[in-house]
Amino acid sequence: VIIPTMSVLTAADLEFLLVDSGAKVVLSNQELGHKPISVRERCPELKDVVVTGGSLQGTAGYEEIVARAPEFDGVDGRDEDLAALIYTSGTTGKPKGVMLTHKNFYAQALLSYGLYVAKGEDSRANSMLMPLPLSHVYGLSVAVTTLLMGNTVVMMRRFEPQAALELVREHALKI
């Protein structure tokens, strides 16, 4: 089960999500890895913080874990199994975790397919520039739909017009 978060969360807000969700592992990068490390002791379910691009003190390095891992054959699951916990913005109180199943993502992909692919068009030619946050249901749904169609998702940390145009050119993306 994934629990995507936003990089702009304060350490206290991240702590709330980790405790409330019962998260077992945090995957972060070196720039933001200090946040989960700083709240780790107050998150009883949290077993490990994994950092990409090396490791920080008290963390495991993602690349090292992958290099040592046995070949992954996938996971058997049911459509009704929980796939993601997406937290609301908390405008009327504390954020609440919204449970999404694998079937929710399949249904969203089927509904969205027609928005991305014209009749008779090859869906494999529709890679996506992704400036949307994956911590929001729409951003995550667009990314999952793109991946289920067999396409590439080109990620942006935040939308910047000039950078977006450069990525469109670099990856020959349709706009």
Side-chain angles (χ1 to χ4, degrees):
V1 176
I2 61 168
I3 307 161
T5 63
M6 295 185 71
S7 60
V8 296
L9 287 178
T10 66
D13 289 339
L14 179 61
E15 179 182 339
F16 171 80
L17 297 185
L18 295 175
V19 171
D20 187 68
S21 67
K24 307 280 189 267
V25 176
V26 172
L27 176 61
S28 187
N29 61 21
Q30 291 219 335
E31 179 186 347
L32 300 171
H34 67 280
K35 285 184 186 180
I37 292 169
S38 72
V39 300
R40 182 183 211 167
E41 291 181 12
R42 296 184 300 279
C43 301
E45 301 290 323
L46 188 59
K47 293 180 177 21
D48 212 346
V49 176
V50 178
V51 176
T52 60
S55 63
L56 298 172
Q57 186 173 0
T59 69
Y62 173 79
E63 291 79 5
E64 180 185 332
I65 290 171
V66 170
R68 290 183 292 138
E71 189 169 318
F72 182 67
D73 248 353
V75 176
D76 290 330
R78 301 179 318 237
D79 287 350
E80 299 78 25
D81 288 344
L82 188 61
L85 195 57
I86 308 292
Y87 275 83
T88 64
S89 62
T91 54
T92 61
K94 288 286 189 188
K96 293 161 188 68
V98 178
M99 298 185 295
L100 298 174
T101 66
H102 293 283
K103 190 173 185 176
N104 293 137
F105 283 111
Y106 300 146
Q108 179 63 40
L110 290 173
L111 290 170
S112 299
Y113 186 82
L115 298 173
Y116 302 114
V117 182
K119 187 174 182 178
E121 184 179 36
D122 184 350
S123 68
R124 294 167 298 179
N126 288 310
S127 294
M128 177 70 72
L129 177 63
M130 179 54 66
L132 304 170
L134 297 181
S135 58
H136 188 278
V137 70
Y138 183 62
L140 190 57
S141 293
V142 169
V144 168
T145 299
T146 304
L147 293 171
L148 287 174
M149 290 189 320
N151 295 316
T152 300
V153 177
V154 178
M155 302 295 296
M156 292 186 78
R157 178 172 274 188
R158 66 184 51 85
F159 182 75
E160 296 171 13
Q162 188 61 41
L165 288 174
E166 289 171 17
L167 288 169
V168 167
R169 284 188 204 107
E170 178 184 342
H171 297 279
L173 300 172
K174 290 174 39 179
I175 52 172

